[in-house]
Amino acid sequence: MDVNYSPQDLESKWQVFWEKNELFNVSTQPGQKKYYILEMFPYPSGKIHMGHVRNYTIGDVVARYKRMNGFNVLHPMGWDAFGMPAENAAIANKTHPAKWTYANIDAMRAQLKRLGFSYDWKREFATCRPEYYHWEQWLFLKMVEKGLAYRKESSVNWCKTCQTVLANEQVEAGMCWRCGKPVKQKRLKQWFFRVSDYAEDMLDYSDKLPEWPEKVITMQKNWIGKSIGAQIRFKVQDSDEVIPVFTTRPDTVFGATFMCLAPEHPLVIKLAEGTNQYKETKDFIEKISHQDRSSRALEDYEKEGVFIGVYCINPLNGRQMPIYTANFALMEYGTGAVMSVPAHDQRDFDFAEKYGLDIIIVVSPLDDKLDGTTITEAFTGEGIMVNSGKFNGLKNIEAKDEIAAYLEKNDLGKKTVNYRIRDWGISRQRYWGTPIPMIHCPDCGIIPVPEEDLPIILPEDVALLEGGGSPLSKLDYFAKTTCPKCKREDARRETDTMDTFVESSWYFERYCCPDSNKAMFDKEAIDYWMPVDQYIGGVEHAILHLLYSRYFTRVLYDFNMVNYKEPFTRMLTQGMVCKETISCPKHGFLYPEEAENAKDGKICVKCGQKVVIGRVEKMSKSKNNVVDPNALLDKYGADTTRLFCLFASPPERDLEWNEQAVDGSFRFLNRVWRIVANNLTMVKDVIPFSGSHNLLQGDIQKLYKKSHQTIKKVTKDIENRFHFNTAISAVMELVNTIYGIQLSAKAPYQAEVMRFALESVVLLLSPIIPHFAEEIWETFGHKTSIITASWPVFQEDALVEDTALIVVQVNGKLRSRFEAPLNSDDELIKNKALSDERVVKFINESNIKKIIVVKNKLVNIVV
């Protein structure tokens, strides 16, 4: 065994060994318990970052730990390869998205292998390959057949630069998340999935996910957004049009004094046409089309609107209500129309004050009488109904049901449930995505591609258009086709592609049977491996990705393709990797290596000016506060990098980058290496001790007990909490104990216990630092990989302490410690404390008032 630890050579040695022997490749084993561990697969950007390293290290530790505990572990990896990021990056780099993507996959695969992750690489796939999206297209046809996929015109967020539709979540302060250019509203015909059909079921099951983080469940529930209320119909004056409105406050309908429609509402222009408000209405709609229309963005906008020139009638009191179009009304909530009650809704109150609209009190507090002409804010509390006809005097909570029932009885409305969640628009006007398998025929309309013609392959030899538009509609050999129904030769393919979220909504099932070419899944494999036992990823995916994955799984369940509704049993959202920013007055944000130490702090290596150290925040390319994993691997190796990622913070918390802590992790590995090297001659040819601790004495007995205590602690921390930091800390304590052992030639079983302790250290650390552990394991003389070894088991009786560590305080301040036999007599403890030299020094000649003894814990001497 070399005296010095040299990670680079031994790490590549074991990576070759694992791959050659296919140690991580698995198959279904019906008689063996399975464990499916999965980290969210990456977009192939070209390089992995420290967030990837942390995420995948967490998953790898769990995979290796479960394998050592006898599980048949599925731990796959693949690539979320389609989508706008790859297309935009390829355009920026003057290359083709396919070439860019496949090159990046090769580079990232090599990086992941260098980190020693235990992936079954035979299951690897990229979602941009036809053998994958073939089955996505097949499922799309099934969804069309069942009415779960449909096409309609809708208002969308349109980025002119990227030439595509954006989800609300991809619009940031009115700008495209990808290119940073303005986004506007546009009406387009789009394909949709009926996610809303499953809203109640997904909401119900949100309470049946006990091993998901509470914050993620809350985010899922809020996004689904169930509201119970009533739909009320308001007739437009002098028209046959009726405006349905959803409200959770039917008790306030008598106080509705105006109506607000979303600017995207189809009735706005229709009703305004022919009035003297038409131009002003049209100009307002154009203005609002450039705003971020997400609900979160509206909170920051000033509430504004315009009168569209017509009125509607309040169905309960006949009041004439002016109709406005307002920026705070959203088509995505309710019906896109707001029954505005300024006396009892602060947003409506502010709007009414701004535009001089009536404010009528209809719910009055029990201890006060309000006046709509004098109140300074909306009253939103509970109270008694007033100005509400036959409902006066009722408590407003009771009036909700009474009024809803009255509306239903008189055909003016009905009780209903509304969901915030909307059907999923999946159409993207971009090239790099899964082609939608539909055909447009002048005679037959829109019809599905025959199943036998699947997959509709995305051509990968095309030149992209300037400005980012999709070339598919310009490619006659792709777009032109024959109608499969009437055989017309001037039919055209759908040239929109699917949202990349579609690919990531079912990839975890495909990992179970990636070679299945006769069907989307192999039923036997799905039944064995699914659902995923542990899913790991960033909290930024806690809404859409998880929601769409849950939706897709329900579709598959209803098609009798899977026998479960929830795809992920247990969920871990790991924290971010953070680092302080460094900025130069001249050169802006600097990379860490672009600043060097000087007398008065750090200076910029480019210009010599003193730099500003900013706050600690998420590592980001935009702020250059990133650390290249390759630099770490070159300097320290994979095991040190892995150890730091796990030791610096619990997985659910943010990890703050610290170069000294990385160096400390490297020093710890060297320390373990040395203690093995120093004791190798003594332990190499002996069998680890496995007998009773009663056969041992002194330090050797303490070491044996400490080893078993450490096994219990590490097992508990990994199994129950994934608190790898405290598990590593426990092993460090065991290493300290080993270093503190006073060896004696006469001590019985000394070599055997030392062997047991050292093997325990290596086994417990092996999921965390696998290359290092393999090398030590081989050095000990083992002929098989440590991966095939069993996880160590602790002895219950060895956990029982014979002695207790007694803390001695004088007037509540720690002054000394000593060991005493467990459950010693109080008098014995007192005498031992009073005779302790350090305690005597602090007592001096003071008068002792009392001595407090806490059994097996402490003595407090009060003077």
Side-chain angles (χ1 to χ4, degrees), residues 505-723:
S505 295
W506 65 281
Y507 77 105
F508 36 87
E509 272 118 357
R510 187 67 181 178
Y511 277 141
C512 300
C513 43
D515 297 327
S516 177
N517 55 17
K518 301 294 185 185
M520 190 173 187
F521 306 132
D522 176 271
K523 190 70 165 61
E524 181 184 346
I526 289 289
D527 289 347
Y528 178 76
W529 289 114
M530 287 297 292
V532 174
D533 295 283
Q534 178 67 62
Y535 199 35
I536 302 172
V539 74
E540 65 272 19
H541 302 294
I543 297 178
L544 291 188
H545 166 57
L546 293 180
L547 196 73
Y548 292 154
S549 296
R550 297 178 67 204
Y551 160 71
F552 245 67
T553 302
R554 281 162 170 76
V555 171
L556 296 172
Y557 178 85
D558 283 353
F559 288 174
N560 295 315
M561 296 175 66
V562 301
N563 58 14
Y564 50 87
K565 285 189 174 184
E566 292 294 343
F568 314 119
T569 301
R570 192 175 183 182
M571 180 77 211
L572 170 67
T573 52
Q574 90 280 358
M576 298 180 294
V577 181
C578 304
K579 192 180 188 307
E580 79 278 353
T581 58
I582 305 173
S583 58
C584 167
K586 183 177 180 180
H587 295 100
F589 287 115
L590 302 177
Y591 288 104
E593 61 271 19
E594 293 177 331
E596 62 183 10
N597 291 322
K599 286 184 179 179
D600 299 325
K602 292 196 171 200
I603 60 171
C604 175
V605 298
K606 298 177 181 178
C607 64
Q609 291 193 54
K610 189 174 182 180
V611 302
V612 176
I613 306 299
R615 63 190 178 92
V616 174
E617 51 188 293
K618 178 185 177 182
M619 284 190 178
S620 164
K621 290 179 183 177
S622 65
K623 296 188 176 178
N624 294 346
N625 62 333
V626 294
V627 174
D628 183 3
N630 282 338
L632 280 181
L633 296 175
D634 291 340
K635 183 176 180 180
Y636 294 106
D639 286 334
T640 295
T641 304
R642 291 166 62 117
L643 183 65
F644 164 73
C645 285
L646 298 171
F647 184 53
S649 174
E652 71 277 8
R653 301 279 297 278
D654 288 348
L655 183 156
E656 185 174 336
W657 177 259
N658 185 316
E659 185 74 34
Q660 290 73 33
V662 179
D663 199 55
S665 296
F666 185 67
R667 290 198 306 273
F668 171 68
L669 294 188
N670 277 276
R671 195 161 185 254
V672 176
W673 187 273
R674 286 193 304 272
I675 202 169
V676 171
N678 293 342
N679 290 282
L680 187 59
T681 302
M682 176 177 64
V683 305
K684 187 169 185 181
D685 297 321
V686 301
I687 297 173
F689 186 77
S690 59
S692 169
H693 70 282
N694 293 321
L695 298 172
L696 308 173
Q697 302 172 14
D699 281 356
I700 294 301
Q701 186 188 64
K702 289 179 182 177
L703 176 58
Y704 190 60
K705 287 189 165 195
K706 182 66 174 177
S707 299
H708 283 284
Q709 291 165 359
T710 305
I711 293 168
K712 180 179 180 181
K713 169 69 173 168
V714 173
T715 302
K716 180 181 177 182
D717 284 348
I718 296 178
E719 184 70 40
N720 298 339
R721 307 187 302 159
F722 290 174
H723 279 200

Side-chain angles (χ1 to χ4, degrees), residues 782-806:
H782 292 284
K783 302 301 181 186
T784 56
S785 168
I786 198 170
I787 290 166
T788 63
S790 295
W791 187 254
V793 179
F794 58 87
Q795 292 179 6
E796 286 287 351
D797 62 341
L799 302 176
V800 179
E801 290 282 7
D802 296 325
T803 60
L805 180 65
I806 307 298

